């Protein structure tokens, strides 16, 4: 039996994670991500899939983020009929994210038709909300450390990866005629000292390892980001302004709510209203109560005043009318809204209204990718174009480091040291070229691993005659 792997994404990029395993005649797609970011990457979503999706027997998801799950509706639309295996919280998160993604695809197609910038007479979305819903019956949910049997020869287990709610490291056991081999997919690894999520599990053995390298060339030195967050909010409060925090709906919003709750309880920031203006973030936050065994906050939910998601100053705004009403607030408030890089979503109308105000502030709490509005604002642009208008930037901007949900280079090395024997091959995935190569060199030099940084669409034989 021959085992091969083909890298259909997540190779020298931090997007579009898709890894095709062929185990004899059985085909498994590990992660099924959407390409995001640069136009060249986004165009790959429209390319013909390298094989007919109907030939894929199973999909395994490490976690819910769109760059790991967002291609599922297209895969199903084009003929995939197998099961999608992932943890129970991942199933629920993916449903929320795919419906939102389908809505965005539809809106983008409508906008392209209205503005006439598409080469197609009638631009079509990559997929619709209806397509997204067709994915849901295919989910097969599992718990951490539960082993499931795909075939008589293939078993799969999921282990805690940190990163976001339900995120998993995937271990696959493949039984040949005379031996058994283990393939491990790290998924995206979380931090070792995250206040909400548990640290990633260590696994002792892997014959083949696919390891994420998002921060493979970066060390995060800021160990107490909440202190910087508190300082930015206090300064804005003293200026009589409103703090605007662009934050992703999954993971980042909940982490910021935890820190704001803590800061208010300890008297480090004033007891002012906190508004969460993101329907998706509100839906995601509810899942933390539902899946309280998957994070550290379960005990805090039992005490009055302990639950950071039920802070007495916290207000959840679902409707568009409620969102617009926030424009009237002149000071002494904190507003969280998505998206985290200010590329779309409700955060835009808050920026449109707040950027011209010297007393207000914008607090960025995550990495701002090149080419995004958030990055341009941080880089000191004097105006930002929104809704066809050049909006002057007079509000104060802050960037809080150390709030990433990704393990940094030191933490990635620490996780790698948990293996008691060297993998036969260790592939560096889900990282920009420089990050993957930097981690590859360290693992080679310090642990003497055989590391490989694969190319997009490159294939490898993992085992021959197993």
């Amino acid at each position: 039996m021959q085992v091969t792997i083909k890298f259909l994404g997540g190779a020298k990029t931090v997007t579009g994670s898709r890894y095709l395993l062929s185990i004899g005649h059985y085909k498994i797609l590990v992660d099924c991500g959407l390409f995001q970011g640069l136009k060249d990457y986004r165009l790959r979503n429209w390319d013909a899939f390298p094989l007919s999706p109907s030939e894929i027997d199973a999909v395994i998801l490490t976690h819910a983020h769109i760059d790991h799950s967002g291609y599922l509706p297209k895969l199903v639309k084009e003929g995939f009929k197998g099961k999608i295996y992932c943890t129970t919280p991942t199933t629920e998160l993916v449903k929320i994210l795919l419906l939102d993604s389908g809505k965005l695809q539809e809106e983008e197609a409508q906008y392209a038709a209205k503005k006439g910038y598409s080469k197609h007479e009638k631009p079509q979305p990559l997929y619709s909300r209806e397509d997204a819903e067709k994915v849901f019956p295919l989910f097969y949910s599992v718990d951490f450390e539960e082993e499931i049997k795909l075939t008589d020869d293939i078993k799969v287990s999921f282990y805690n990866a940190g990163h976001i709610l339900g995120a998993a490291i995937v271990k696959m056991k493949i039984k040949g005629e005379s031996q058994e081999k283990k393939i491990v997919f790290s998924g995206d690894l979380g931090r070792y000292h995250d206040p909400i999520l548990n640290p990633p599990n260590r696994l002792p053995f892997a014959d083949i390892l696919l390891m994420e390298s998002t921060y493979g060339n970066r060390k995060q030195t800021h160990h107490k980001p909440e202190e910087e967050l508190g300082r930015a909010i206090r300064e804005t409060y003293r200026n009589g302004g409103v703090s605007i925090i662009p934050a992703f709906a999954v993971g980042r919003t909940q982490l910021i709510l935890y820190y704001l709750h803590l800061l208010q309880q300890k008297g480090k920031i004033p007891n002012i209203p906190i508004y969460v203006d993101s329907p998706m973030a509100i839906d995601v936050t509810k899942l933390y109560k539902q899946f309280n065994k998957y994070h550290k906050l379960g005990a805090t939910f039992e005490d009055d005043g302990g639950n950071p998601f039920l802070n007495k100053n916290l207000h959840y705004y679902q409707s568009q009318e409620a969102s617009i009403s926030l424009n009237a607030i002149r000071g002494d408030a904190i507003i969280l809204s998505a998206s985290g890089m200010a590329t779309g979503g409700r955060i835009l109308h808050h920026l449109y209204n707040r950027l011209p105000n010297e007393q207000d502030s914008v607090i960025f709490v995550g990495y701002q990718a090149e080419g995004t509005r958030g990055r341009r604002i941080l880089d000191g642009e004097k105006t930002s174009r929104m809704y066809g208008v050049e909006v002057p930037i007079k509000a104060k901007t802050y960037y809080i480091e150390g709030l990433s949900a990704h393990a940094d280079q030191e933490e990635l090395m620490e996780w790698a040291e948990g293996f008691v024997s060297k993998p036969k091959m260790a592939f560096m995935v889900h990282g920009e070229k420089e990050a993957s190569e930097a981690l590859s060199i360290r693992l080679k030099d310090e642990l003497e691993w055989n590391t490989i940084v694969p190319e997009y669409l490159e294939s490898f034989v993992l085992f021959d005659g197993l």
Side-chain angles (χ1 to χ4, degrees), residues 202-319:
R202 285 182 151 192
L203 276 66
F205 303 108
D207 296 289
I208 304 293
L209 173 64
L210 273 77
M211 184 170 173
E212 73 113 326
S213 54
T214 311
Y215 280 5
N217 60 344
R218 234 184 295 177
K219 295 173 192 177
Q220 300 200 52
T221 52
H222 297 261
H223 297 301
K224 293 214 168 173
E226 69 274 24
E227 290 183 2
E228 286 182 52
L229 178 63
R231 195 176 304 122
I233 288 165
R234 286 194 305 273
E235 283 180 15
T236 310
Y237 176 73
R238 282 198 295 268
N239 291 336
V242 174
S243 297
I244 302 295
I245 306 178
F248 289 112
V250 181
R252 193 62 49 88
T253 291
Q254 292 75 30
L255 180 62
I256 298 303
L257 289 179
Y258 170 82
Y259 279 137
L260 293 175
H261 179 70
L262 209 63
L263 290 165
Q264 285 194 334
Q265 280 195 320
K266 291 182 173 182
K268 292 189 173 181
I269 61 171
N271 276 312
I272 54 178
I274 301 163
Y275 298 95
V276 178
D277 183 27
S278 165
M280 201 205 306
I282 295 164
D283 292 341
V284 170
T285 303
K286 287 174 189 166
L287 296 180
Y288 281 73
K289 178 70 175 167
Q290 191 178 332
F291 298 112
N292 62 9
K293 290 185 177 71
Y294 285 82
H295 56 76
K296 296 176 183 175
L297 298 183
T300 71
F301 292 172
E302 307 307 318
D303 293 332
D304 281 349
N307 186 342
F309 308 137
L310 291 176
N311 180 323
K312 66 182 191 308
N313 297 313
L314 192 51
H315 308 275
Y316 292 105
Y317 275 17
Q318 282 270 20
S319 73

Side-chain angles (χ1 to χ4, degrees), residues 13-15 17 19 31 36 62-63 65-68 161-164 167 186-194 197 200 211-222 248 250-252 255 341 365-367 401-413 415 429-432 435 439:
T13 68
V14 287
T15 189
S17 281
Y19 312 108
D31 281 342
Q36 297 172 297
T62 59
H63 66 287
H65 276 148
I66 284 292
D67 56 339
H68 294 258
H163 188 58
I164 63 167
S186 75
D188 285 0
L189 296 168
R191 314 297 309 276
Y192 273 83
H193 301 289
D194 189 282
L197 298 168
M211 184 170 173
E212 73 113 326
S213 54
T214 311
Y215 280 5
N217 60 344
R218 234 184 295 177
K219 295 173 192 177
Q220 300 200 52
T221 52
H222 297 261
F248 289 112
V250 181
R252 193 62 49 88
L255 180 62
M341 294 186 193
V365 291
Y367 178 68
E401 275 192 277
L403 286 165
S404 173
H406 280 277
D408 70 0
Q409 190 191 61
E410 291 305 322
E411 289 164 317
L412 290 169
M413 289 299 296
W415 185 76
V429 296
H430 203 269
E432 300 293 350
L439 185 61

Side-chain angles (χ1 to χ4, degrees), residues 176-193:
E177 281 178 27
S178 58
Q179 53 189 321
E180 186 178 79
K181 297 291 186 185
K182 295 183 179 76
I183 303 177
V184 171
F185 298 81
S186 75
D188 285 0
L189 296 168
R191 314 297 309 276
Y192 273 83
H193 301 289

Side-chain angles (χ1 to χ4, degrees), residues 7-26:
F7 292 88
L8 306 182
K12 294 188 177 175
T13 68
V14 287
T15 189
S17 281
R18 303 173 197 166
Y19 312 108
L20 182 68
L21 268 182
S22 299
I23 302 165
H25 297 297
Y26 197 84

